[in-house]
Amino acid sequence: MTIPPDLEAQILRYYHVEKWRVGTIARQLRVHHDTVARVLAQAGLPRTGPPARRSQVEPYLPFIHQTLEKFPTLTASRLYAMVRERGYRGSPDHFRHLVACYRPRPTAEAYLRLCSLPGEQAQVDWGHFGHLVIGRARRSLMAFVMVLSYSRQIFLRFFLDARMESFLRGHVAAFTAWNGCPRVLLYDNLKSAVLERQGDAIRFHPTLIEFAGHYRYEPRPVAVARGNEKGRVERAIRYVRDNFFAARKFADIDDLNVQAEAWCRGMAADRRCPGQDTVSVRDAFAEEAPRLLALPDNAYPLIERVAVKAGKTPYVRFDLNDYSIPHTKVQRLLTVLADPHEVRIVDGAHILACHRRSYDKGAQIEDAGHVQALVEHKRAARRHRGTDRLAKAAPESQTLLVRAAERGDNLGTITAALLRLLERYGATDLQAAILDALDRNVPHPNAVRLALERRREQRQEAPPVAVPLPAHVTARDAPVRPHALEPYDQLKEQPDE
């Protein structure tokens, strides 16, 4: 902290003229005693007053300097144990503060100002801007930032993730906005660019290499822990945070990107170009734009391709949500082709479904046709199971169903009614009743039921019960024999007592 010149003069006068102690000066002037000591040390005047007390650590300073020079990262606790074994009796806390003063500091490194030619270089990086809540999902809001090193023109695009597909979409959008591509792109050591690095040996992401070959630029990673090599994009991200995103209101990510594009073309382009005080970023970019590489005629495909496995239900899981497919494709390995707005599910070269992409969590995105087809298939399966059972128990039921279909009757209702009659009367009687109904040219369950009732009455049998009654109901309905009333008349004939 800088102190006023008049206060510094007072400290020096009180100390050297009035012979006050450091603590007295600090209390009188209401400053910290370290401030007084620092002023006296910076003045370079000889110290007056009683000599300073000899510190316990002074005999061990040569050993401490030699050890720290050889082992700069040695902890204070370990060094304290070493000097204690050699006779030091000071407290560990005081020793830790002393070591912090004597520990060697790294030499300050000087940096050269980097210059770039027009159209030569751009720098790329991601910036994290919090999260967006979409339905039940909490997704990261990531900003893709690319800045041209010469003109400092900024391109800004927000995404809901930092996957490779979004990374490449940001590149293509920047190249399209600038109508050109720089010759070199500088990357940080992020996984979308560098998969592995051992010294100078670098293994790039194969997709990025293919993408760079398509647009004919050179991908170049910066050195490890050397953020100064891509300081332009770092400052651009800080500029975006302070001058665009702070207190920004937006409806959704599409609205945010519209505002970001307007900001890049407006306020960000009108600022003074760093390093060129006489021109703006817009003027510098107008000079740089003709020197960018021309874009290829065909755009790079940016479809996200993911292999998915359909389970027993007609849905596939993609990006936290379920998308419907035809029920005939369950329990198969399929492929999802997705872009920011659409999700397509394919089986080889055949497109099975096309849905609008959802960024919610746990949502079911359905095609009404898929669900309806499954419902109809289940109904048909139940009807076919009933038809097969009827054909096995009463073969003439097939003829009755054919003739009922010719009349336009509901086969499902007829099948269900015949199955109930089969449960009540049995297969033999049902076969005979169906033949009787066909002879009468009435292919309907009511005619079959009447024929079954006539056969039952002819045999003088009780009506069949569809569901057997419980034992306690049967016992309750058992016939009860009434008592004779003559003994009561005899009792009445006797005289009363």
Side-chain angles (χ1 to χ4, degrees), residues 302-482:
L302 295 174
I303 300 298
E304 186 176 353
R305 181 184 297 268
V306 180
V308 293
K309 177 66 181 296
K312 295 181 180 180
T313 58
Y315 297 93
V316 295
R317 174 64 61 87
F318 172 72
D319 194 18
L320 306 179
N321 298 294
D322 294 331
Y323 296 86
S324 68
I325 59 173
H327 67 276
T328 56
K329 301 297 182 180
V330 296
Q331 296 189 348
R332 296 185 62 174
L333 189 63
L334 305 175
T335 303
V336 171
L337 303 178
D339 59 31
H341 304 288
E342 188 179 60
V343 173
R344 288 179 295 165
I345 305 167
V346 300
D347 183 11
H350 301 285
I351 299 178
L352 303 179
C354 185
H355 300 280
R356 180 175 179 80
R357 184 164 183 173
S358 173
Y359 291 94
D360 201 344
K361 179 181 179 181
Q364 284 190 345
I365 297 89
E366 299 176 341
D367 186 341
H370 296 160
V371 179
Q372 185 62 29
L374 177 59
V375 172
E376 294 177 356
H377 174 73
K378 289 295 184 180
R379 290 175 179 172
R382 288 195 296 270
R383 185 170 65 248
H384 291 161
R385 286 196 297 269
T387 304
D388 294 342
R389 184 181 174 193
L390 284 175
K392 185 176 180 180
E396 289 300 325
S397 62
Q398 301 301 304
T399 306
L400 185 143
L401 291 174
V402 171
R403 294 176 62 177
E406 294 175 354
R407 296 173 52 180
D409 294 337
N410 190 328
L411 298 184
T413 304
I414 296 175
T415 302
L418 294 178
L419 287 174
R420 290 193 295 269
L421 295 177
L422 176 62
E423 293 290 340
R424 292 189 181 186
Y425 294 95
T428 304
D429 290 345
L430 180 63
Q431 173 72 5
I434 290 176
L435 288 173
D436 185 81
L438 293 176
D439 292 340
R440 295 173 180 273
N441 197 23
V442 186
H444 197 273
N446 291 340
V448 178
R449 185 180 297 107
L450 291 176
L452 289 170
E453 287 296 322
R454 284 196 298 269
R455 290 173 61 84
R456 181 187 63 78
E457 292 175 357
Q458 291 175 3
R459 293 196 296 265
Q460 297 182 356
E461 295 176 352
V465 180
V467 180
L469 297 176
H472 69 280
V473 176
T474 305
R476 185 186 62 185
D477 294 340
V480 179
R481 186 177 61 181

Side-chain angles (χ1 to χ4, degrees), residues 14-15 18-27 36 40 49-50:
Y14 286 152
Y15 185 80
E18 305 296 341
K19 308 300 182 183
W20 286 7
R21 294 179 180 271
V22 173
T24 305
I25 298 174
R27 286 193 299 272
V36 177
L40 297 177

Side-chain angles (χ1 to χ4, degrees), residues 272-273 275-280 283:
R272 181 182 60 82
C273 182
Q276 304 182 50
D277 298 338
T278 59
V279 298
S280 64
D283 298 332

Side-chain angles (χ1 to χ4, degrees), residues 256-274:
L256 181 61
N257 282 326
V258 170
Q259 297 183 41
E261 182 178 358
W263 178 79
C264 290
R265 294 180 177 179
M267 179 179 177
D270 293 332
R271 74 187 192 279
R272 181 182 60 82
C273 182

Side-chain angles (χ1 to χ4, degrees), residues 17 45 52 61 87 152 169 173 202 206 225 400 439 459 465 473 496:
V17 177
L45 297 177
L61 286 179
R152 308 299 178 91
R169 289 189 186 105
I202 299 173
L400 185 143
D439 292 340
R459 293 196 296 265
V465 180
V473 176
D496 297 332

